Amino acid sequence: MTSCTRVLLLGDDESLVQHLHKWLEAAAPGCYQLVAHHPDEDGLAALLGGDYAVGLLLFADQPSAAQHVLTAVKNQFCPVPVVALSYTMDLALDREAVPCGAADYLALDSISEVLLERSLRYAIERKRTEQNLARLAHHDPLTDIPNRVLFRDRLENAIRVAARDRTRFALMFIDLDDFKVVNDRYGHDIGDSLIRFCAGRLQKLLRRSDSMARMGGDEFTLLLLNVESSSNIAHLAVKIIEQISAPYEINGYQLSVGCSVGVASYPEAGRSADALLKSADLAMYQAKQLEGSNFRFFTEEMNRDVRYRMSLEEDLRRAVENRELYLEYQPRFAVSSGKVVALEALLRWNHPQKGILSAPNFISIAEDTGLIFAIGYWAVRQACDHLQQLKRDCGVELKMAVRLSARQFRDDAMVQTMANIFAETGVNPKCIEFELTETALMENIEMVSLCMRPLSYFGVTFTLDDFGTGSSSFLHLQRLPIAALKIDSQFMADLLRRRSERRLVAAMINLAHNLGKVVIVEGVESARQLQWLVDEGCDQLQGHYLGAPAVYSKLVDSIRSLHLVGGKPSRALKPDAKPKA
């Protein structure tokens, strides 16, 4: 049996109720149930409550009251359509009704029962279509929860209300840990199911006044209104971690993931949507640095870091235009001959106020802002130019190592741009070595590998930098065109003080050689370190003890002082044969 369509009439005329009831019954017997109410606040509440499929609003004895209702219908996003009525044609109302929020306007003296029923039916269908389109535009298709567009709208509304009422609320940024592992191991279908399960668990933890959204990928946000204290937020964060970390059974697989939670409170962490989202994201990133699943609040210290980064970001944009960036070069020595075999290009920034800044101080900002593309290509071109110039000035042909950011591999034109640089500078691609960190490689393995292979066809070689600090697999090390492994300098600090550290480094050297890779060690700072590394069979060494970074003009003098001009032989690298760089 088809259920009746409930119609709410907001008007005081009892005879009109009977008249409309007869018309609807005649047009569609048994299909409509008409209920009358005064056009007051209670009537408006009934209309906004969503218990009716359509509303009829009479403009007659109380036009101001009806106009108030219609304004509220538009401003408060009434869930049902409203058809405006008058006894006779009102040309002003005919022009203004729909723009003011009505779905249609009817003059009762010029319509029939069929036209009335048709108007109601069309209004209901149009509203459903609008709601479906709005849902598609504002909800995540995978989880059916709000997307970033709708969430931002709700966040901005929460800011307006909190500013007006002087209340507080909290924003949570949640990022799943090891989700990529699930996708890679079990496939994207299982990954999608896991995202849906996580969304369902989060929804069960929220109050009716709270809202959540999927921001994309494995990231969720929660908006917690009228929070009483930070301890309540902390308790919820703990519950979120517990729920998300509980095991999942999907298609017969037993899965588990963790999560990192960042919390930003209004107004302490920001007074705009962008500021709050950045604060919550930064707090989440801090939580992710801790072992296991954790949560962190945005603090004033983080706030100072954000302001510093924003200031540095503006300065960096100007630095690119003002040519404040430059390269220094640090020599790398072959253990067997003691000769310089390669130079590592190191990015520097001559900041007008802060002095000389090394790449770790600003490279993440370049990555986040997209400046890394312009800076990265400039660094490669500059290094190639200097390599050619060094060949002319000193008569030596060395390798040039340039570290690449994984973000640079997102440029579809990267391979072609690099080829153009090689052609324009005249450098032999076989003399170019690109360095990638182990962490960056594994986080973007598919994207990076697509560019590595065509570049290797040109003759470019690749070195895996910071070896031992990430989680690269033997399979990737063998299948990708990686010629050398570079052991990170952090292992050098305790090399001579801890036997465990020496065992670890010795194991990495042995592993790299077994994989057929050249072993490079950076951070050599003393004769004792040098002796131990030579004894362990390292292939190439780099560090301040052997040669400090220098700008090109000083580099030329250093190369000449090493007696390498004309290919003169040099004895094997030993502590008592330290190069004079």
Side-chain angles (χ1 to χ4, degrees):
M1 181 178 178
T2 304
S3 60
C4 288
T5 299
R6 301 190 72 201
V7 182
L8 177 64
L9 170 64
L10 295 180
D12 293 328
D13 191 338
E14 288 293 335
S15 61
L16 178 61
V17 175
Q18 297 176 5
H19 186 68
L20 292 176
H21 178 75
K22 290 180 181 179
W23 272 16
L24 292 174
E25 190 62 24
C31 292
Y32 291 90
Q33 179 186 1
L34 184 65
V35 178
H37 205 294
H38 293 292
D40 53 16
E41 292 299 326
D42 290 339
L44 176 60
L47 188 64
L48 296 174
D51 292 332
Y52 297 89
V54 64
L56 292 171
L57 179 60
L58 179 63
F59 282 77
D61 297 335
Q62 299 179 343
S64 61
Q67 185 60 53
H68 172 72
V69 170
L70 194 58
T71 301
V73 164
K74 182 176 183 179
N75 293 340
Q76 300 185 38
F77 304 102
C78 182
V80 298
V82 175
V83 176
L85 298 177
S86 66
Y87 290 113
T88 59
M89 173 59 67
D90 184 332
L91 293 178
L93 184 58
D94 182 40
R95 288 192 299 269
E96 297 172 3
V98 172
C100 289
D104 200 355
Y105 164 66
L106 300 175
L108 294 172
D109 64 347
S110 59
I111 66 167
S112 64
E113 60 269 24
V114 173
L115 289 176
L116 172 65
E117 191 275 336
R118 179 184 176 188
S119 178
L120 296 183
R121 183 159 38 85
Y122 279 22
I124 293 171
E125 289 301 321
R126 282 197 302 272
K127 191 68 174 182
R128 286 174 180 169
T129 301
E130 290 173 4
Q131 290 172 336
N132 287 336
L133 290 175
R135 189 163 194 86
L136 288 174
H138 295 108
H139 283 74
D140 173 52
L142 179 62
T143 60
D144 200 34
I145 63 175
N147 60 15
R148 64 170 62 240
V149 176
L150 180 55
F151 186 82
R152 187 182 181 89
D153 183 67
R154 291 180 176 179
L155 175 58
E156 290 176 344
N157 184 65
I159 292 172
R160 288 191 293 268
V161 173
R164 181 194 67 198
D165 298 341
R166 296 184 179 180
T167 56
R168 299 175 69 246
F169 67 85
L171 173 66
M172 281 189 175
F173 205 107
I174 303 169
D175 184 83
L176 302 185
D177 299 331
D178 300 324
F179 177 72
K180 186 178 184 300
V181 175
V182 174
N183 258 347
D184 291 344
R185 185 173 299 172
Y186 301 102
H188 290 281
D189 289 342
I190 298 295
D192 289 347
S193 296
L194 179 60
I195 291 292
R196 284 192 291 267
F197 274 108
C198 290
R201 292 183 180 184
L202 288 173
Q203 281 185 306
K204 291 179 181 179
L205 295 174
L206 299 184
R207 302 166 299 175
R208 294 190 63 180
S209 61
D210 302 330
S211 59
M212 66 177 290
R214 183 185 178 210
M215 302 299 279
D218 59 347
E219 297 175 340
F220 297 90
T221 49
L222 306 184
L223 185 59
L224 313 173
L225 302 180
N226 299 316
V227 294
E228 297 179 1
S229 67
S230 297
S231 61
N232 291 340
I233 302 174
H235 287 309
L236 177 60
V238 171
K239 289 181 180 179
I240 288 172
I241 292 173
E242 290 175 349
Q243 286 294 313
I244 294 297
S245 301
Y248 300 83
E249 183 174 347
I250 303 175
N251 292 357
Y253 295 108
Q254 294 289 332
L255 308 176
S256 62
V257 292
C259 69
S260 300
V261 182
V263 183
S265 298
Y266 175 90
E268 296 86 355
R271 295 179 179 269
S272 68
D274 285 335
L276 287 167
L277 286 168
K278 283 184 179 179
S279 298
D281 188 29
L282 179 61
M284 183 278 295
Y285 178 78
Q286 295 291 329
K288 220 169 183 63
Q289 306 310 304
L290 304 174
E291 186 176 353
S293 296
N294 279 283
F295 70 92
R296 286 289 300 272
F297 280 82
F298 182 83
T299 64
E300 182 55 34
E301 181 181 356
M302 293 182 192
N303 198 18
R304 286 194 297 270
D305 290 341
V306 169
R307 288 197 295 267
Y308 177 80
R309 283 177 63 87
M310 291 178 67
S311 173
L312 208 60
E313 177 183 327
E314 294 179 5
D315 293 346
L316 185 57
R317 293 184 187 278
R318 288 193 294 267
V320 175
E321 298 174 1
N322 298 337
R323 300 184 179 181
E324 296 170 7
L325 302 177
Y326 67 97
L327 296 179
E328 289 186 342
Y329 302 94
Q330 186 170 30
R332 188 198 304 162
F333 296 82
V335 171
S336 59
S337 66
K339 288 184 178 182
V340 175
V341 291
L343 300 171
E344 181 179 3
L346 302 170
L347 185 62
R348 299 287 186 261
W349 177 8
N350 187 10
H351 193 284
Q353 288 80 40
K354 298 178 174 63
I356 306 300
L357 300 178
S358 59
N361 291 304
F362 61 87
I363 205 67
S364 63
I365 297 175
E367 292 175 335
D368 293 341
T369 58
L371 291 171
I372 189 64
F373 299 110
I375 293 173
Y377 289 135
W378 170 85
V380 173
R381 183 180 296 275
Q382 184 77 349
C384 289
D385 280 336
H386 280 159
L387 189 61
Q388 290 295 86
Q389 190 174 344
L390 186 68
K391 185 177 179 181
R392 292 191 297 269
D393 292 344
C394 297
V396 294
E397 189 166 284
L398 306 177
K399 277 211 166 191
M400 178 65 74
V402 183
R403 176 179 284 197
L404 297 183
S405 162
R407 297 286 180 92
Q408 293 174 252
F409 288 87
R410 294 182 182 178
D411 182 8
D412 294 336
M414 178 193 179
V415 175
Q416 185 60 52
T417 303
M418 292 297 186
N420 292 340
I421 291 174
F422 300 153
E424 292 165 8
T425 60
V427 75
N428 183 351
K430 293 181 179 180
C431 294
I432 300 300
E433 175 185 307
F434 287 143
E435 295 185 355
L436 280 168
T437 66
E438 189 174 14
T439 302
L441 173 67
M442 297 314 300
E443 286 181 354
N444 304 275
I445 186 67
E446 295 178 2
M447 179 176 61
V448 173
S449 62
L450 286 175
C451 294
M452 288 180 72
R453 297 189 186 284
L455 286 172
S456 68
Y457 295 151
F458 286 114
V460 173
T461 56
F462 290 89
T463 294
L464 190 62
D465 202 358
D466 297 347
F467 181 61
T469 62
S471 56
S472 55
S473 70
F474 294 162
L475 187 61
H476 289 131
L477 291 179
Q478 284 295 82
R479 289 185 175 178
L480 294 176
I482 297 173
L485 303 180
K486 195 172 189 180
I487 297 176
D488 189 65
S489 60
Q490 72 180 46
F491 295 106
M492 296 298 102
D494 295 323
L495 182 70
L496 301 177
R497 291 198 300 267
R498 296 182 181 177
R499 180 178 297 177
S500 59
E501 204 78 358
R502 293 195 295 275
R503 288 175 177 171
L504 178 60
V505 174
M508 287 191 286
I509 294 171
N510 187 52
L511 170 63
H513 281 151
N514 287 336
L515 292 173
K517 312 297 182 185
V518 173
V519 178
I520 304 169
V521 179
E522 61 180 350
V524 181
E525 305 294 335
S526 70
R528 291 182 62 203
Q529 288 178 343
L530 173 61
Q531 184 63 65
W532 188 88
L533 292 167
V534 169
D535 292 343
E536 289 297 320
C538 291
D539 301 301
Q540 297 178 18
L541 301 176
Q542 177 182 333
H544 280 70
Y545 178 75
L546 299 169
V551 295
Y552 180 79
S553 58
K554 294 182 179 179
L555 175 73
V556 172
D557 295 336
S558 298
I559 294 295
R560 285 171 174 163
S561 70
L562 291 172
H563 305 293
L564 296 177
V565 179
K568 293 181 180 180
S570 177
R571 54 182 171 168
L573 195 62
K574 294 181 181 179
D576 59 355
K578 173 187 170 184
K580 298 177 182 179

